Amino acid sequence: MRPLGSSSAPGALGLSPYATPADVQARLLGAPGRAAGWAALLGNELEPLLRRLAGEALGAELTPGPPYGAVPWPVAEHQISHPDAHYPAEGGLRLVELKLVTDWDGWGADWPRPDYRIQVAHQLEARHPGGLELVAAVLYAVHRDTGESRLYHLPRTAAGSRLVQRLGDWYDAHVVHARPVPPVARPTYLPAAKGPRHYVETLEARDLVAALRDAQSAMDARSEEHTSELQSQSTISYA
């Protein structure tokens, strides 16, 4: 049995345009994976460039890979994570995930595509061996053809622990005990012409995405209130 990585978490929940839950199950049980496509190979080759561009956008020097060595760190039993980069932040570390995309279907102005948000939420639940806290993550995406870039700041939320538990249950049922994955249907945020023919959007997966979105909105609202308060405190009255 192979461990479940963060990049496979959306597929296990049926939220990936690249793999169905059955695909993820087969690979974790030892079936040979499909050869990487051209887009994936190009993304790997361009990762140093994406990392440099992300660092410039953030005004930070990014270190490749996880905060220790080149090996994945544990998230939970049978679950691992390997983000693209990291940098120090107040109170701990911020992780960085880099994406080269071909379209913006399913992306919002302040919310990335749900499968990538699930991937990042899983990464933020990793256990750092030195005890450092993973306080938040940044997702930096660049359009392959136009060069347009989008930067998303994503907090660690309580929904992340629910995600890890959900994936642990899925792994136990469909990998440890090799139970068949139920038939699936397509996620609503993907155009009909894209991706594999079958997906699943379970109630649990929808709840997790909604919880992550609510936590992001609450954090943004608190940040705006704090900024307004600071601005009002700094206003000098000459009356």
Side-chain angles (χ1 to χ4, degrees), residues 180-202:
V181 175
V184 295
R186 179 179 298 278
T188 56
Y189 69 90
L190 290 171
K194 291 185 177 293
R197 184 171 300 170
H198 298 294
Y199 292 93
V200 63
E201 190 179 19
T202 63

Side-chain angles (χ1 to χ4, degrees), residues 170-184:
W170 184 92
Y171 192 98
D172 182 68
H174 302 299
V175 181
V176 174
H177 294 97
R179 294 172 188 157
V181 175
V184 295

Side-chain angles (χ1 to χ4, degrees), residues 48-210:
L49 173 61
L50 297 181
R51 187 168 57 246
R52 177 173 66 80
L53 294 174
E56 292 174 356
L58 291 164
E61 184 175 350
L62 306 187
T63 301
Y68 64 97
V71 297
W73 66 68
V75 176
E77 186 178 13
H78 305 304
Q79 297 182 48
I80 59 174
S81 173
H82 195 300
D84 294 324
H86 68 280
Y87 65 101
E90 184 178 356
L93 294 170
R94 289 183 184 268
L95 306 182
V96 179
E97 186 63 28
L98 306 168
K99 298 296 181 186
L100 185 69
V101 303
T102 56
D103 57 58
W104 296 114
D105 293 330
W107 297 75
D110 57 359
W111 183 262
R113 211 171 68 184
D115 54 326
Y116 292 147
R117 184 63 183 93
I118 289 290
Q119 178 183 354
V120 170
H122 188 258
Q123 290 172 340
L124 283 170
E125 293 303 306
R127 299 194 298 267
H128 186 278
L132 294 177
E133 184 179 359
L134 307 180
V135 295
V138 171
L139 194 153
Y140 182 77
V142 177
H143 195 287
R144 183 190 65 188
D145 300 323
T146 67
E148 178 190 353
S149 63
R150 297 187 183 183
L151 187 68
Y152 300 88
H153 292 273
L154 305 171
R156 184 179 182 183
T157 75
S161 60
R162 289 177 52 201
L163 170 64
V164 171
Q165 179 61 52
R166 173 79 178 101
L167 290 169
D169 293 342
W170 184 92
Y171 192 98
D172 182 68
H174 302 299
V175 181
V176 174
H177 294 97
R179 294 172 188 157
V181 175
V184 295
R186 179 179 298 278
T188 56
Y189 69 90
L190 290 171
K194 291 185 177 293
R197 184 171 300 170
H198 298 294
Y199 292 93
V200 63
E201 190 179 19
T202 63
L203 177 61
E204 293 90 344
R206 289 200 301 273
D207 286 349
L208 283 168
V209 171

Side-chain angles (χ1 to χ4, degrees), residues 31-44:
R34 293 176 295 183
W38 170 247
L41 292 173
L42 185 62
N44 290 336

